[in-house]
Amino acid sequence: LIELVGLSKVFYTDEVETHALADVGLRINKGEYIAVEGPSGSGKSTLLSILGLLDTPTAGQYTLNSHSVDKLSAPERARIRNREVGFIFQSFNLIGDLTVFENVELPLTYRGMSSSDRKTRVQAALERVDMAPRMKHYPSQLSGGQQQRVAVARALGGDPAILLADEPTGNLDSRNGEAVMDILHELHRGGATICMVTHDPRYASCADRTVHVFDGRIVGPEEAKRL
Amino acid sequence: LIELVGLSKVFYTDEVETHALADVGLRINKGEYIAVEGPSGSGKSTLLSILGLLDTPTAGQYTLNSHSVDKLSAPERARIRNREVGFIFQSFNLIGDLTVFENVELPLTYRGMSSSDRKTRVQAALERVDMAPRMKHYPSQLSGGQQQRVAVARALGGDPAILLADEPTGNLDSRNGEAVMDILHELHRGGATICMVTHDPRYASCADRTVHVFDGRIVGPEEAKRL
Ligand SMILES: Nc1ncnc2c1ncn2[C@@H]1O[C@H](COP(=O)(O)OP(=O)(O)OP(=O)(O)O)[C@@H](O)[C@H]1O
Ligand SMILES: Nc1ncnc2c1ncn2[C@@H]1O[C@H](COP(=O)(O)OP(=O)(O)OP(=O)(O)O)[C@@H](O)[C@H]1O
Ligand SMILES: [Mg+2]
Ligand SMILES: [Mg+2]
C-alpha cells in the first residue's frame, strides 16, 4: 500500500536548514496498524503530513497503491487525500467560524456527498465520540479535550481507507482516551490502515508494530532504547 | 493565599447555559503544589482561568492575598496578573507573528522591565527548556512539543509567585515531560505556588495534593474513584 524510499524533508528558513526527515525508508501494508514514537521535534508530524499528502518531500520516492505520488500537484494530492485519507491533527485545526457540525461535515462536502448522507454520517461520527449534544456550538466554546474529540469525529466521518492520527489522545483523560482507542481499533478491524503517533507506551502496544523516529531517521527498537 | 467560596461559572450561548463550575470551594496556601484532575469538559481549564484572573466568576467569592478579586475590572485584573501569575495554556497560545524570543519576552515587556534585563531572562528561560537555538524562529516552524516548551519558558521568564499550568506535558515525550516537571519542582522549592492540571497520575503524585473535579464540582478522592 505505502512505500517510502530514501525520503527526506528539509525546511528552509532564512538562517538555517532544518533536516526534519533524512533518508527514511518505510513500508506499510494494507490494513496494518502502525504506531510512531520518538522525542519532541524528531520528525513524527512531518512524516505523517507527507504520508497524508499534505506536504511534499524534498527528495526520495513515495508510492501509494503502486502509484508514485511524490511529485503530484496540490490539486491532485487533494483529490487523492479527500478520497482515501482521514487526518487527526496534533493541534486539532478546527475552523473557528464553523460549528461543530460544519467542521465534521466539511471533508464530506469536499467529496461531493449529498446533504442527507452528510447529515447521517456527521450525526453518527459525533455520537461515537460523545459530542452530539454540542453540534451547534463553536470550537471556542469547547474544552481542549472536547475539541480533540470533534477532530477525531471529523477524521472518521468519511470512513477513510487510511487514518493518520497525531497524538489523538494527548489532551484526553484516560476514559476518553480509551474510547478513542476503541474507535481506532474498530476501524482497524473494519480493514482501515492506521498510522498513529503516540507518546503513551500503553497505546503503542495496541498497534501491530512500532516505528521509532530519532532526529529525522527511522531507527531500530534497540537503537531507540539506547538513545 | 487563595480562597474560593461558593464559586460558579456559567457560559451563556444562544441556546443553552453551560454550568462549567458550580459551588466550588477551594483554599490554596502560599507555596503549595496542587494537581487538578478530572474528565474532559469537567471544568479544569475554567477553574485555572478564573484563578489566574483571565476570566471572572458568575457568582461566589475569590480572595487573593486577603484582597477580594472577583469583581475587579479588566485592567485591574491584568495589573495583578502580570505581576503575580505565570500561565501555561492548554493550547499554547503563542503569537504567530512574533519570534520565539519575542513570545517569551512579551510578559516581561508588560511588566516594564528594561531591555537588557529582559534579554538575560529570556535567554535563561529558553535554555532551561532546550529551545535557545530556535529563538529567531516562528511558532509555525516548530513541532507541537517544541511550541509547548516555548510556552513553558514564557510562563517562567518572570519568576511568577503563582504558576498555573494546564497539562504542561500533554504533547511531550517522556524525556521532555520529565524535564518540564523538574522545572516545576525547582520553582516550587524556590517558594512558588503551583496549580497544575494533568491527566497523568505519575505527575499528579509530584504535587502536595490532588483536587478532583467532576461536572463542575470539586469532589473527594473516594467519590472521584467511584465516578
Ligand atoms: N467559552 C465557552 N463558551 C461556552 N462553553 C464553554 C466555554 N469554555 C468552556 N466551556 C464549557 O465549559 C465546560 C468546562 O470546560 P473546561 O475547558 O474547563 O474543561 P476541562 O476540564 O479543561 O476539559 P479538557 O480536559 O477537555 O481540557 C465544558 O463543557 C465546555 O464545553
Ligand atoms: N514549517 C516548518 N518550518 C521549519 N521547521 C519546521 C517546520 N515544521 C517542523 N519543523 C522542524 O522540523 C523538525 C520536526 O518537526 P515535527 O513537527 O515533525 O516533530 P515531531 O516529532 O512531531 O515533534 P512533537 O513530538 O514535538 O510534536 C523540528 O525540528 C521542527 O522544528
Ligand atoms: Mg508532532
Ligand atoms: Mg482543559
Side-chain angles (χ1 to χ4, degrees):
Chain A
L1 177 72
I2 285 175
E3 181 143 24
L4 304 178
V5 176
L7 196 107
S8 71
K9 177 71 183 174
V10 181
F11 290 106
Y12 299 97
T13 46
D14 42 350
E15 277 155 27
V16 71
E17 283 178 12
T18 309
H19 291 260
L21 294 173
D23 192 20
V24 166
L26 180 64
R27 256 186 85 84
I28 303 176
N29 298 321
K30 207 170 169 52
E32 223 181 337
Y33 188 170
I34 309 255
V36 176
E37 71 80 27
S40 166
S42 56
K44 303 180 297 292
S45 296
T46 305
L47 177 63
L48 241 55
S49 70
I50 289 175
L51 286 176
L53 302 172
L54 285 166
D55 202 351
T56 52
T58 313
Q61 283 96 45
Y62 175 11
T63 48
L64 176 65
N65 288 328
S66 324
H67 297 295
S68 165
V69 291
D70 43 57
K71 297 194 179 53
L72 294 184
S73 68
E76 283 169 311
R77 277 187 287 133
R79 211 167 37 68
I80 298 175
R81 194 172 61 229
N82 286 333
R83 230 185 23 246
E84 306 274 352
V85 182
F87 214 101
I88 301 172
F89 296 92
Q90 187 171 4
S91 50
F92 314 150
N93 286 9
L94 297 178
I95 298 170
D97 303 338
L98 299 182
T99 64
V100 165
F101 182 95
E102 292 163 344
N103 264 287
V104 176
E105 183 187 35
L106 198 61
L108 306 179
T109 316
Y110 287 149
R111 283 193 174 181
M113 215 179 261
S114 77
S115 145
S116 68
D117 260 4
R118 293 201 306 265
K119 196 165 166 179
T120 330
R121 279 177 180 265
V122 170
Q123 177 85 24
L126 285 172
E127 272 159 20
R128 267 177 124 174
V129 295
D130 269 349
M131 286 300 289
R134 308 297 294 256
M135 62 169 64
K136 295 212 177 81
H137 286 206
Y138 289 86
S140 68
Q141 299 174 326
L142 302 178
S143 77
Q146 290 169 335
Q147 289 180 39
Q148 187 150 22
R149 284 186 279 156
V150 171
V152 170
R154 180 183 58 186
L156 303 175
D159 258 342
I162 303 171
L163 181 69
L164 302 170
D166 200 343
E167 304 192 32
T169 62
N171 276 298
L172 297 179
D173 56 283
S174 46
R175 209 181 56 195
N176 280 300
E178 266 137 38
V180 166
M181 294 307 292
D182 288 348
I183 294 173
L184 296 192
H185 187 63
E186 269 167 53
L187 270 185
H188 179 232
R189 267 211 325 266
T193 307
I194 298 180
C195 194
M196 169 183 71
V197 170
T198 181
H199 290 308
D200 194 325
R202 286 174 313 166
Y203 294 145
S205 61
C206 302
D208 297 333
R209 65 184 165 104
T210 297
V211 169
H212 303 276
V213 180
F214 191 85
D215 268 350
R217 291 177 187 285
I218 290 187
V219 296
E222 293 317 314
E223 202 179 339
K225 275 212 196 74
R226 263 207 331 276
L227 292 161
Chain B
L1 175 72
I2 285 175
E3 180 143 22
L4 305 178
V5 176
L7 196 107
S8 70
K9 176 71 183 174
V10 181
F11 290 105
Y12 298 96
T13 46
D14 40 351
E15 279 155 25
V16 70
E17 281 177 16
T18 309
H19 291 260
L21 295 172
D23 194 17
V24 167
L26 180 64
R27 252 185 90 82
I28 302 176
N29 298 321
K30 206 171 172 51
E32 222 181 339
Y33 187 170
I34 309 255
V36 177
E37 70 82 25
S40 165
S42 56
K44 303 182 296 293
S45 295
T46 304
L47 177 63
L48 240 56
S49 71
I50 289 176
L51 286 176
L53 300 172
L54 285 165
D55 202 351
T56 52
T58 313
Q61 283 97 44
Y62 175 12
T63 48
L64 176 66
N65 288 327
S66 323
H67 298 293
S68 166
V69 291
D70 42 62
K71 298 193 178 52
L72 293 183
S73 69
E76 283 170 312
R77 276 189 287 133
R79 209 166 39 67
I80 298 176
R81 193 171 62 230
N82 286 332
R83 232 187 20 249
E84 306 275 351
V85 183
F87 215 101
I88 302 172
F89 295 92
Q90 188 170 4
S91 51
F92 315 150
N93 285 9
L94 297 177
I95 297 170
D97 304 337
L98 299 181
T99 64
V100 163
F101 183 95
E102 292 163 346
N103 264 288
V104 176
E105 183 186 38
L106 197 61
L108 306 179
T109 317
Y110 286 149
R111 283 200 182 176
M113 213 178 262
S114 77
S115 144
S116 68
D117 259 1
R118 293 202 303 266
K119 199 171 153 134
T120 330
R121 279 178 180 264
V122 170
Q123 177 86 23
L126 284 172
E127 273 159 21
R128 265 177 128 176
V129 297
D130 269 349
M131 285 299 290
R134 308 295 295 255
M135 64 169 65
K136 294 209 176 81
H137 285 204
Y138 288 86
S140 67
Q141 300 174 327
L142 302 177
S143 78
Q146 290 168 335
Q147 289 181 39
Q148 186 149 21
R149 284 186 278 155
V150 171
V152 170
R154 179 183 58 185
L156 303 175
D159 258 342
I162 303 170
L163 181 71
L164 302 171
D166 202 342
E167 304 191 29
T169 62
N171 276 297
L172 296 179
D173 56 284
S174 46
R175 210 180 55 194
N176 280 300
E178 265 136 38
V180 166
M181 293 306 293
D182 288 347
I183 294 173
L184 295 193
H185 187 64
E186 268 168 54
L187 269 187
H188 179 231
R189 265 210 325 266
T193 308
I194 298 179
C195 195
M196 169 184 71
V197 170
T198 181
H199 291 308
D200 193 324
R202 285 173 312 167
Y203 295 144
S205 61
C206 302
D208 298 332
R209 65 187 165 102
T210 296
V211 170
H212 302 276
V213 181
F214 192 85
D215 267 353
R217 289 173 190 285
I218 291 187
V219 296
E222 293 318 312
E223 200 178 342
K225 275 210 196 74
R226 268 208 327 276
L227 292 161

